[in-house]
PDB file of all heavy atoms in Angstrom:
ATOM      1  N   GLY G  27     -30.566 -17.411  25.136  1.00  0.00           N
ATOM      2  CA  GLY G  27     -29.272 -16.798  24.675  1.00  0.00           C
ATOM      3  C   GLY G  27     -28.393 -17.606  23.683  1.00  0.00           C
ATOM      4  O   GLY G  27     -27.858 -17.103  22.710  1.00  0.00           O
ATOM      5  N   ARG G  45     -25.593   2.374  35.233  1.00  0.00           N
ATOM      6  CA  ARG G  45     -24.232   1.958  34.809  1.00  0.00           C
ATOM      7  C   ARG G  45     -24.285   1.233  33.473  1.00  0.00           C
ATOM      8  O   ARG G  45     -23.368   1.435  32.643  1.00  0.00           O
ATOM      9  CB  ARG G  45     -23.625   1.053  35.877  1.00  0.00           C
ATOM     10  CG  ARG G  45     -23.206   1.838  37.088  1.00  0.00           C
ATOM     11  CD  ARG G  45     -22.426   0.836  38.095  1.00  0.00           C
ATOM     12  NE  ARG G  45     -22.197   1.624  39.297  1.00  0.00           N
ATOM     13  CZ  ARG G  45     -22.148   1.057  40.585  1.00  0.00           C
ATOM     14  NH1 ARG G  45     -22.513  -0.163  40.623  1.00  0.00           N
ATOM     15  NH2 ARG G  45     -21.945   1.691  41.544  1.00  0.00           N
ATOM     16  N   ASN G  76       2.837  -7.602   1.730  1.00  0.00           N
ATOM     17  CA  ASN G  76       3.144  -7.705   0.349  1.00  0.00           C
ATOM     18  C   ASN G  76       4.489  -7.212   0.077  1.00  0.00           C
ATOM     19  O   ASN G  76       5.017  -7.128  -1.094  1.00  0.00           O
ATOM     20  CB  ASN G  76       2.164  -6.891  -0.468  1.00  0.00           C
ATOM     21  CG  ASN G  76       0.817  -7.688  -0.470  1.00  0.00           C
ATOM     22  OD1 ASN G  76       0.759  -8.698  -0.512  1.00  0.00           O
ATOM     23  ND2 ASN G  76      -0.198  -6.879  -0.531  1.00  0.00           N
ATOM     24  N   VAL G  82      16.614  -1.256   2.830  1.00  0.00           N
ATOM     25  CA  VAL G  82      17.934  -1.140   2.073  1.00  0.00           C
ATOM     26  C   VAL G  82      18.940  -0.263   2.907  1.00  0.00           C
ATOM     27  O   VAL G  82      18.469   0.819   3.227  1.00  0.00           O
ATOM     28  CB  VAL G  82      17.704  -0.494   0.668  1.00  0.00           C
ATOM     29  CG1 VAL G  82      18.998  -0.198  -0.048  1.00  0.00           C
ATOM     30  CG2 VAL G  82      16.819  -1.308  -0.075  1.00  0.00           C
ATOM     31  N   ASP G  89      27.665   4.501  -4.179  1.00  0.00           N
ATOM     32  CA  ASP G  89      26.316   4.473  -4.661  1.00  0.00           C
ATOM     33  C   ASP G  89      25.687   3.228  -4.831  1.00  0.00           C
ATOM     34  O   ASP G  89      24.479   3.117  -5.174  1.00  0.00           O
ATOM     35  CB  ASP G  89      26.582   4.980  -6.297  1.00  0.00           C
ATOM     36  CG  ASP G  89      26.886   6.404  -6.345  1.00  0.00           C
ATOM     37  OD1 ASP G  89      26.692   7.257  -5.432  1.00  0.00           O
ATOM     38  OD2 ASP G  89      27.503   6.767  -7.440  1.00  0.00           O
ATOM     39  N   PHE G 103       6.175  -1.586  -8.224  1.00  0.00           N
ATOM     40  CA  PHE G 103       5.076  -1.494  -9.328  1.00  0.00           C
ATOM     41  C   PHE G 103       4.644  -2.981  -9.594  1.00  0.00           C
ATOM     42  O   PHE G 103       5.516  -3.820  -9.724  1.00  0.00           O
ATOM     43  CB  PHE G 103       5.557  -0.748 -10.544  1.00  0.00           C
ATOM     44  CG  PHE G 103       5.810   0.647 -10.298  1.00  0.00           C
ATOM     45  CD1 PHE G 103       6.968   1.204 -10.156  1.00  0.00           C
ATOM     46  CD2 PHE G 103       4.716   1.448 -10.430  1.00  0.00           C
ATOM     47  CE1 PHE G 103       7.194   2.517 -10.016  1.00  0.00           C
ATOM     48  CE2 PHE G 103       4.958   2.908 -10.180  1.00  0.00           C
ATOM     49  CZ  PHE G 103       6.153   3.416 -10.060  1.00  0.00           C
ATOM     50  N   LEU G 124      16.432   9.541 -14.927  1.00  0.00           N
ATOM     51  CA  LEU G 124      15.187   9.307 -15.732  1.00  0.00           C
ATOM     52  C   LEU G 124      14.268  10.440 -15.855  1.00  0.00           C
ATOM     53  O   LEU G 124      13.763  10.700 -16.927  1.00  0.00           O
ATOM     54  CB  LEU G 124      14.331   8.210 -14.937  1.00  0.00           C
ATOM     55  CG  LEU G 124      13.075   7.716 -15.509  1.00  0.00           C
ATOM     56  CD1 LEU G 124      13.306   7.143 -16.987  1.00  0.00           C
ATOM     57  CD2 LEU G 124      12.365   6.678 -14.747  1.00  0.00           C
ATOM     58  N   ASP G 129      12.384  15.013 -19.298  1.00  0.00           N
ATOM     59  CA  ASP G 129      12.323  16.451 -19.664  1.00  0.00           C
ATOM     60  C   ASP G 129      13.036  16.763 -21.060  1.00  0.00           C
ATOM     61  O   ASP G 129      12.545  17.700 -21.681  1.00  0.00           O
ATOM     62  CB  ASP G 129      13.344  17.137 -18.543  1.00  0.00           C
ATOM     63  CG  ASP G 129      12.608  17.285 -17.076  1.00  0.00           C
ATOM     64  OD1 ASP G 129      11.327  17.061 -17.149  1.00  0.00           O
ATOM     65  OD2 ASP G 129      13.282  17.464 -16.165  1.00  0.00           O
ATOM     66  N   THR G 133       7.269  15.651 -26.507  1.00  0.00           N
ATOM     67  CA  THR G 133       5.817  15.548 -26.428  1.00  0.00           C
ATOM     68  C   THR G 133       5.501  14.493 -25.242  1.00  0.00           C
ATOM     69  O   THR G 133       6.315  13.761 -24.876  1.00  0.00           O
ATOM     70  CB  THR G 133       5.181  15.049 -27.691  1.00  0.00           C
ATOM     71  OG1 THR G 133       5.778  13.749 -27.960  1.00  0.00           O
ATOM     72  CG2 THR G 133       5.518  15.985 -28.899  1.00  0.00           C
ATOM     73  N   ALA G 150      14.794 -15.375 -22.228  1.00  0.00           N
ATOM     74  CA  ALA G 150      14.396 -14.813 -23.448  1.00  0.00           C
ATOM     75  C   ALA G 150      14.416 -13.289 -23.411  1.00  0.00           C
ATOM     76  O   ALA G 150      14.270 -12.690 -22.415  1.00  0.00           O
ATOM     77  CB  ALA G 150      13.049 -15.432 -23.992  1.00  0.00           C
ATOM     78  N   PHE G 165       3.725   7.960 -12.956  1.00  0.00           N
ATOM     79  CA  PHE G 165       4.018   7.943 -11.499  1.00  0.00           C
ATOM     80  C   PHE G 165       5.234   8.937 -11.366  1.00  0.00           C
ATOM     81  O   PHE G 165       5.168   9.818 -10.556  1.00  0.00           O
ATOM     82  CB  PHE G 165       4.479   6.666 -11.064  1.00  0.00           C
ATOM     83  CG  PHE G 165       4.962   6.671  -9.644  1.00  0.00           C
ATOM     84  CD1 PHE G 165       3.928   6.761  -8.585  1.00  0.00           C
ATOM     85  CD2 PHE G 165       6.257   6.492  -9.294  1.00  0.00           C
ATOM     86  CE1 PHE G 165       4.422   6.696  -7.214  1.00  0.00           C
ATOM     87  CE2 PHE G 165       6.713   6.536  -8.057  1.00  0.00           C
ATOM     88  CZ  PHE G 165       5.778   6.598  -7.020  1.00  0.00           C
ATOM     89  N   ASP G 173      -3.238  11.277  -8.446  1.00  0.00           N
ATOM     90  CA  ASP G 173      -3.454  10.829  -9.802  1.00  0.00           C
ATOM     91  C   ASP G 173      -3.237   9.295  -9.831  1.00  0.00           C
ATOM     92  O   ASP G 173      -2.292   8.790  -9.396  1.00  0.00           O
ATOM     93  CB  ASP G 173      -2.475  11.551 -10.857  1.00  0.00           C
ATOM     94  CG  ASP G 173      -2.954  12.877 -11.127  1.00  0.00           C
ATOM     95  OD1 ASP G 173      -4.036  13.263 -10.766  1.00  0.00           O
ATOM     96  OD2 ASP G 173      -2.061  13.666 -11.674  1.00  0.00           O
ATOM     97  N   GLU G 176      -1.910   3.486 -12.520  1.00  0.00           N
ATOM     98  CA  GLU G 176      -2.034   2.106 -13.125  1.00  0.00           C
ATOM     99  C   GLU G 176      -3.329   1.937 -13.935  1.00  0.00           C
ATOM    100  O   GLU G 176      -4.159   2.554 -13.654  1.00  0.00           O
ATOM    101  CB  GLU G 176      -1.992   1.035 -11.999  1.00  0.00           C
ATOM    102  CG  GLU G 176      -0.649   0.863 -11.405  1.00  0.00           C
ATOM    103  CD  GLU G 176      -0.595  -0.326 -10.592  1.00  0.00           C
ATOM    104  OE1 GLU G 176      -0.455  -1.509 -11.112  1.00  0.00           O
ATOM    105  OE2 GLU G 176      -0.406  -0.115  -9.256  1.00  0.00           O
TER     106      GLU G 176
END
Side-chain angles (χ1 to χ4, degrees):
R45 284 186 185 143
N76 289 325
V82 176
D89 293 335
F103 290 99
L124 181 57
D129 289 341
T133 64
F165 179 77
D173 284 345
E176 286 193 74

